[in-house]
Amino acid sequence: MKKTKLYNTRKEKGFSQEYLSSQLNMDKTSYNRRENGKTPIRLYEWEKLAEILSVDIEDIYETDYIEGVAVYDNGVGAITITNLNNNLSIPKEFIECRTKYIEKIENENKILLAEIEKLKEKLGNSIIS
């Protein structure tokens, strides 16, 4: 979702995307993706943008929406997920741990599938189906 408050403030202040991207130490394309809502803006980036634009963060901040769900970094080590009925904070460590666990299980599945194929070849396809 396009960050219209950020866009409008940037235009009102007379700053270009090139200037803001250089202040955030990123290329213009990366900044453009953030302003157009294609890449989430991290909390520290919002803070830096507010500082550069000389506004309060509330004046430019807009959440990132994914299919009706707002997802944002709450700045205290958790990701907050919000929809119309719920507000859930998930510790980043938990998300990282679950992601690593899923990768581990996927790798184990690949190994087991390869072993099954070896057994099929060794014993013949008629025994294992």
Side-chain angles (χ1 to χ4, degrees):
M1 171 181 241
K2 185 174 183 174
K3 307 297 185 245
T4 54
K5 288 168 41 175
L6 174 59
Y7 172 82
N8 291 337
T9 302
R10 177 177 64 77
K11 287 295 199 178
E12 286 170 15
K13 300 281 184 170
F15 291 116
S16 67
Q17 286 188 341
E18 290 90 351
Y19 177 74
L20 289 182
S21 65
S22 71
Q23 295 299 303
L24 293 170
N25 295 317
M26 65 177 67
D27 60 43
K28 182 186 171 215
T29 304
S30 295
Y31 177 82
N32 182 275
R33 285 195 303 262
R34 284 167 172 75
E35 191 174 283
N36 285 304
K38 295 179 181 172
T39 299
I41 300 175
R42 295 188 171 105
L43 181 60
Y44 73 89
E45 292 170 335
W46 282 116
E47 291 168 344
K48 182 74 174 172
L49 286 165
E51 180 185 321
I52 296 164
L53 296 167
S54 300
V55 296
D56 292 328
I57 195 168
E58 295 81 20
D59 295 336
I60 58 171
Y61 178 78
E62 295 176 74
T63 60
D64 294 302
Y65 290 95
I66 302 172
E67 297 179 17
V69 176
V71 179
Y72 59 93
D73 183 338
N74 66 14
V76 292
I79 300 298
T80 300
I81 303 170
T82 305
N83 66 15
L84 293 176
N85 301 316
N86 300 300
N87 187 6
L88 174 65
S89 288
I90 303 170
K92 287 181 183 178
E93 292 82 12
F94 178 80
I95 293 171
E96 291 168 2
C97 180
R98 294 289 100 192
T99 301
K100 288 178 184 176
Y101 181 72
I102 290 168
E103 290 171 358
K104 179 181 181 251
I105 296 299
E106 288 173 342
N107 288 333
E108 288 176 356
N109 283 342
K110 287 178 187 175
I111 292 168
L112 290 172
L113 288 171
E115 288 181 22
I116 288 171
E117 289 304 314
K118 287 179 187 176
L119 283 173
K120 281 182 180 180
E121 289 174 13
K122 185 175 184 179
L123 300 173
N125 288 331
S126 61
I127 297 174
I128 301 174
S129 55

